[in-house]
Amino acid sequence: MTMSIFITILQVLLGIFFLFTGSKIISGKMADEFKRFGLPSFFNVMTGSFEIVGAVGMIVGIWMPVTAILAGMLLGGTMLAGAFTLIVLAKDPIQKAIPALVLFVLSLIVSVYHFF
């Protein structure tokens, strides 16, 4: 029961966080970062859309666990790609990728919990 409450709270927090950041990305407020990575401008819309869809999936997943599994995989993959982009393409120190890696792990925790 305690784990179930923890996962539900985690899903709500991830949902709110990714809804906020996805909206920020789509709005173009992070366009300079994507340019710095050498990515085309459509990556703003694509990445922001992934985050918003994943955020909604996290919230819906509270009642429909298969949705949480898929949302966790989508968000986890997006965060892993973000960490890769920071380290490899932008050549930033690994410390800058830690938030993305933490979000990757948290998203996968949700997926794994609902899978088993």
Side-chain angles (χ1 to χ4, degrees):
M1 182 68 166
T2 304
M3 187 62 151
S4 174
I5 293 169
F6 170 76
I7 294 296
T8 300
I9 292 169
L10 181 58
Q11 284 178 244
V12 170
L13 292 174
L14 288 171
I16 292 168
F17 176 80
F18 280 110
L19 192 60
F20 174 75
T21 59
S23 299
K24 185 176 175 181
I25 292 169
I26 284 181
S27 73
K29 291 181 182 173
M30 294 184 66
D32 290 340
E33 278 292 292
F34 283 82
K35 284 181 189 171
R36 182 173 78 91
F37 303 147
L39 299 171
S41 61
F42 78 86
F43 268 78
N44 289 346
V45 175
M46 185 178 73
T47 303
S49 297
F50 284 173
E51 290 192 11
I52 290 171
V53 168
V56 171
M58 277 290 166
I59 301 300
V60 171
I62 294 169
W63 299 278
M64 298 176 60
V66 71
T67 307
I69 295 169
L70 297 172
M73 291 179 0
L74 175 65
L75 293 172
T78 302
M79 290 300 98
L80 194 58
F84 176 84
T85 299
L86 286 168
I87 296 167
V88 176
L89 296 181
K91 298 186 180 7
D92 286 347
I94 197 161
Q95 291 84 352
K96 280 197 92 173
I98 290 174
L101 293 171
V102 169
L103 290 165
F104 161 72
V105 169
L106 293 174
S107 297
L108 286 188
I109 287 171
V110 171
S111 288
V112 168
Y113 174 82
H114 286 292
F115 187 77
F116 296 107

